[in-house]
Amino acid sequence: MRTLVLDNGSFAIKCGYAEDETSARTIPNSVTRTKRTKRMYVGDLIDSSTDLSGLYYRSPFERGYLVHWDVQLAVWDRVFSSDVLGCTPNETDLMLTEPIFNLHQIQRNMDEIVFEEYGFASLVRAPTARLVEAGARDLIYGDEGRDPECVLVVDAGHAFTHVVPYHMGRQIASGVRRVDVGGRLLTNYLKETVSFRYWDMMDETFIMSAVKEKCCFVSEDFKRDIEATRGCVGRRRGGNPLGLEYVLPDFSTSRQGFIQGSQPDDIVTDSQLLPLCNERFAIPEALFHPSDIGIEQAGIHQAVVRAVAACPAEMHAVLLANIIVVGGSACLPGLRQRLQSEVQAQVSHRVRVFAPQDPVHWAWQNGCALATQSRARSWQVSKAQYEEMGAHRTIAHFGSIS
C-alpha cells in the first residue's frame, strides 16, 4: 500500500508518494482561462499554452478556505490521473493538509469526497502547520535526536499568514494568530503599484507573480532603503544599486521574463523593460505593516509576540527560540532576518528564527517522512472505520491531532 502525501495549498498542490521522492510534483491549484482563445486549462495543463497574457484564474479557495468543490475536483482528477501521479485510490493511503481552524462543513465534505467519491483506503487530514512542527527536530537540533518541547510555526501562505504555537506536538489554540496578508495580496499590491507608475499590468497576474518572486526582497532597514531610492527609476536610468529593470516576456520568443543583466546575450527594447526600485521592498513591507495598505491588523512580528504572550509564561523563552517560518512568502530574501530582528526588539528572551532550505515544500517533505512512522498510523482513519464512525466522529478524531 502506497501513501500519497498531498499538501493542498490555495496557490499550488505539492504532491507525491512518500515512498518515492522522485514522484514529487507541484501543480497549480486552479483552473485557468486564456484571454485570447478562451480555452480552459486544469492545473499544470496551462504549461502547454503559449497564450499566457491576461490569464484568468479560478481557484477552489476563497479567503483561504476550500469552497469551490467543482474546481477542486477537476484539479484533483488531474493530479490522480495517469498523466501526473497515476494514483489508484483504493490501493492508496492519503495524507491531506487543510487550513488551521477549518470549518466543519468543509471537513465533512472533504472526508466524504476522499472516501465516497474517490474511495481511498485511508486518510490522515492535518493542518500544514502540524506537518511543519513534525519536522522541527531536524531543522532546529540537527542530528542531536531530541524533539523540541515548544515550536512556533509561522506559515506565510498564499491567502494569509498563520502563527501557530505547539507544545509537545499539541497545538495551543488560544495562541493562534492570523494576519490577512499573503502571497496573493502582495502580487495584487505589486500589480496596482506598477500599473499606476509604469505599465498597465492589472490583468497580468502570471507575469507579476514571477516579478515578485524574482525581484522582491524584505528590507532590513526600510527607512534607510526608502531614502536611498528616492528619485530612483530602475538601475540603467537612475544608477541606484537597489534599482533594476525586468525584461517582460513577449510570449512568442520567451515565456519567462528575467532581470536585465542576468542574461547579457539577450537584446531587448525599451518597450519590454519594467523599471523597479523601491517597489522591490515596499511591497513585502505589507507583511510587517498591513495598515499601510488599509488592513488594520498587526504585522507578522507583532502576531508572533502576541501568540507567545497568549501561551503560559514558562513556554515563552522556548517558543521564541524555536520559530520556524515556511510558505511561499518565506522565500523572499531577508524575511527570516527581518522577522528575527523585529521580534527581538520587542522581547527580552533570545529569539531564533529558522527557515528550511525549501520553505514551499517543507510541509510535504515532513509529511513523507511522517507517513513511515508509527504515530502517523495512529492518526489514520480507514474507509471501513469512516463508514462505522460516521462523519462527526471522524472530524473529532482528526481534530485531536491538529
Side-chain angles (χ1 to χ4, degrees):
M1 190 78 70
R2 295 192 297 179
T3 300
L4 173 61
V5 180
L6 196 149
D7 183 4
N8 199 58
S10 62
F11 179 72
I13 293 176
K14 287 73 68 179
C15 55
Y17 293 105
E19 300 83 3
D20 180 13
E21 291 186 1
T22 61
S23 67
R25 296 290 299 274
T26 300
I27 308 293
N29 198 3
S30 61
V31 173
T32 311
R33 188 186 69 200
T34 59
K35 183 177 182 179
R36 182 172 56 86
T37 62
K38 307 299 183 185
R39 290 189 60 183
M40 306 291 288
Y41 295 89
V42 177
D44 62 324
L45 290 176
I46 189 60
D47 295 338
S48 63
S49 173
T50 56
D51 182 17
L52 300 176
S53 178
L55 296 177
Y56 170 75
Y57 294 90
R58 184 160 185 248
S59 170
F61 286 76
E62 289 285 348
R63 299 183 65 84
Y65 293 99
L66 206 172
V67 293
H68 300 299
W69 286 101
D70 57 333
V71 179
Q72 190 62 86
L73 287 174
V75 178
W76 281 356
D77 286 345
R78 170 65 184 169
V79 169
F80 301 149
S81 71
S82 58
D83 293 329
V84 182
L85 290 179
C87 177
T88 304
N90 60 4
E91 299 176 358
T92 306
D93 298 324
L94 179 65
M95 180 178 289
L96 180 65
T97 65
E98 63 176 346
I100 293 289
F101 296 149
N102 200 7
L103 302 177
H104 281 187
Q105 185 57 51
I106 297 176
Q107 293 175 328
R108 183 189 185 104
N109 292 342
M110 191 175 291
D111 295 342
E112 287 180 358
I113 288 171
V114 166
F115 285 120
E116 299 177 20
E117 179 85 11
Y118 289 109
F120 277 93
S122 71
L123 172 67
V124 172
R125 175 167 48 75
T128 304
R130 183 66 182 89
L131 300 187
V132 172
E133 187 277 337
R137 176 178 63 183
D138 295 335
L139 187 62
I140 295 173
Y141 294 121
D143 298 329
E144 292 185 20
R146 60 191 178 107
D147 291 317
E149 181 180 344
C150 298
V151 175
L152 189 71
V153 177
V154 180
D155 185 3
H158 183 60
F160 37 57
T161 299
H162 268 123
V163 180
V164 189
Y166 283 92
H167 174 249
M168 303 300 290
R170 294 287 182 180
Q171 180 192 113
I172 305 175
S174 61
V176 177
R177 295 293 183 270
R178 187 178 102 171
V179 181
D180 291 333
V181 179
R184 180 176 58 192
L185 186 143
L186 296 182
T187 300
N188 290 338
Y189 184 22
L190 181 60
K191 285 195 299 184
E192 293 176 3
T193 303
V194 166
S195 298
F196 178 75
R197 295 179 179 180
Y198 310 117
W199 307 102
D200 182 5
M201 305 295 288
M202 290 303 296
D203 293 332
E204 304 297 344
T205 301
F206 177 81
I207 295 176
M208 296 314 297
S209 180
V211 171
K212 180 191 70 176
E213 294 171 3
K214 295 177 183 179
C215 302
C216 288
F217 66 94
V218 176
S219 171
E220 292 185 10
D221 188 334
F222 182 74
K223 291 183 178 179
R224 178 198 65 198
D225 288 343
I226 207 72
E227 284 296 326
T229 55
R230 192 175 297 277
C232 164
V233 185
R235 178 176 296 163
R236 189 163 63 106
R237 299 175 187 177
N240 194 292
L242 293 177
L244 56 79
E245 288 178 327
Y246 186 83
V247 181
L248 298 172
D250 58 16
F251 299 125
S252 59
T253 60
S254 61
R255 286 173 54 94
Q256 294 288 338
F258 57 90
I259 299 171
Q260 189 178 27
S262 63
Q263 300 182 29
D265 294 335
D266 288 289
I267 300 174
V268 297
T269 63
D270 285 343
S271 62
Q272 292 178 285
L273 297 178
L274 175 65
L276 295 169
C277 204
N278 61 25
E279 300 89 358
R280 298 180 62 203
F281 57 87
I283 301 304
E285 191 67 17
L287 288 165
F288 294 89
H289 296 98
S291 59
D292 290 349
I293 55 175
I295 300 176
E296 298 303 324
Q297 293 183 352
I300 60 172
H301 60 299
Q302 295 165 319
V304 166
V305 174
R306 293 177 184 180
V308 172
C311 299
E314 59 270 19
M315 298 182 187
H316 291 184
V318 186
L319 284 169
L320 290 167
N322 295 332
I323 300 173
I324 299 177
V325 58
V326 295
S329 296
C331 296
L332 288 167
L335 178 67
R336 184 192 67 80
Q337 296 85 344
R338 173 72 179 278
L339 180 60
Q340 180 167 308
S341 63
E342 291 282 1
V343 174
Q344 187 66 79
Q346 299 187 43
V347 300
S348 57
H349 298 291
R350 180 193 178 195
V351 176
R352 296 187 305 171
V353 178
F354 300 88
Q357 188 174 1
D358 186 357
V360 174
H361 296 91
W362 181 248
W364 178 83
Q365 293 167 355
N366 289 337
C368 291
L370 190 62
T372 61
Q373 299 177 12
S374 58
R375 60 173 167 170
R377 298 297 175 187
S378 67
W379 295 354
Q380 280 184 344
V381 171
S382 68
K383 191 173 187 296
Q385 289 173 323
Y386 167 78
E387 293 170 348
E388 179 183 346
M389 294 166 58
H392 292 295
R393 289 177 62 190
T394 303
I395 290 172
H397 170 78
F398 289 134
S400 68
I401 64 176
S402 62

